[in-house]
Amino acid sequence: MRIALGADHAGVVLKEQLKQHLDRRGIQYEDFGTHTSESIDYPDVATVVAREVAAGRFDRGVLVCGTGIGMAIAANKVAGVRAAPVGDERSAALSREHNDANVLALGARVTSAELAIRLLDLFLDTPFAGGRHQRRLDKIALLDQGSR
Ligand code: RB5
């Protein structure tokens, strides 16, 4: 599995902690920035990571901002991306089981590093359940095509 990572200035420290965890797990990733605490605009990073995932160059994306909300809103504008802003373990697992989320959006100002790492593991390790959930994702895919 290959992960595309991105953060704004609010998420840059947590992004580094997530990278350390991915290193420990031996999971490949590419970091699309930002790399400093200088203020940037989260849509600029969200769209880069989202396009990498949508194009199939990465299996999953992980985005970090202050709350995870802005990153998710921006990433979800890219067709084929299902970005989930997640702050609890049940939602992390269900974002995969029910929604086949391919981008995880985390909030560094609202989620501890310890919890964020647990959420990342659930996001990476939980399979999509398929079945009735696939039918719903098919309807979302039609929205991406502008045909619903
Ligand atoms: C930046 O101050 C903050 O607005 C951003 O990190 C994020 O929380 C937006 O959703």
Side-chain angles (χ1 to χ4, degrees):
M1 183 182 294
R2 273 168 48 78
I3 310 297
L5 283 169
D8 71 356
H9 53 284
V12 71
V13 171
L14 179 56
K15 174 164 63 64
E16 290 307 307
Q17 293 166 310
L18 298 178
K19 283 163 63 177
Q20 288 172 13
H21 185 69
L22 292 171
D23 286 337
R24 283 193 293 271
R25 288 194 55 176
I27 295 173
Q28 290 186 353
Y29 59 82
E30 188 166 333
D31 182 352
F32 289 89
T34 187
H35 302 289
T36 73
S37 59
E38 188 179 337
S39 182
I40 66 151
D41 299 332
Y42 57 82
D44 296 339
V45 176
T47 48
V48 169
V49 167
R51 287 176 182 141
E52 292 293 323
V53 173
R57 288 189 286 272
F58 291 84
D59 302 295
R60 306 267 176 87
V62 178
L63 291 166
V64 191
C65 62
T67 60
I69 295 169
M71 284 293 197
I73 291 171
N76 278 320
K77 299 295 181 187
V78 175
V81 165
R82 293 175 301 279
V86 166
D88 68 276
E89 292 175 69
R90 185 160 164 77
S91 297
L94 289 176
S95 78
R96 291 288 313 131
E97 273 181 45
H98 287 195
N99 311 112
D100 197 19
N102 52 11
V103 173
L104 173 68
L106 295 169
R109 291 175 177 159
V110 294
T111 304
S112 69
E114 185 184 35
L115 176 57
I117 286 168
R118 288 208 302 277
L119 301 179
L120 174 60
D121 281 341
L122 286 164
F123 173 70
L124 296 179
D125 299 339
T126 305
F128 176 49
R132 68 187 186 281
H133 303 295
Q134 183 59 57
R135 185 179 69 241
R136 294 156 186 171
L137 296 192
D138 291 345
K139 293 185 176 183
I140 293 173
L142 289 176
L143 292 172
D144 279 339
Q145 296 165 18
S147 56
R148 264 179 72 92

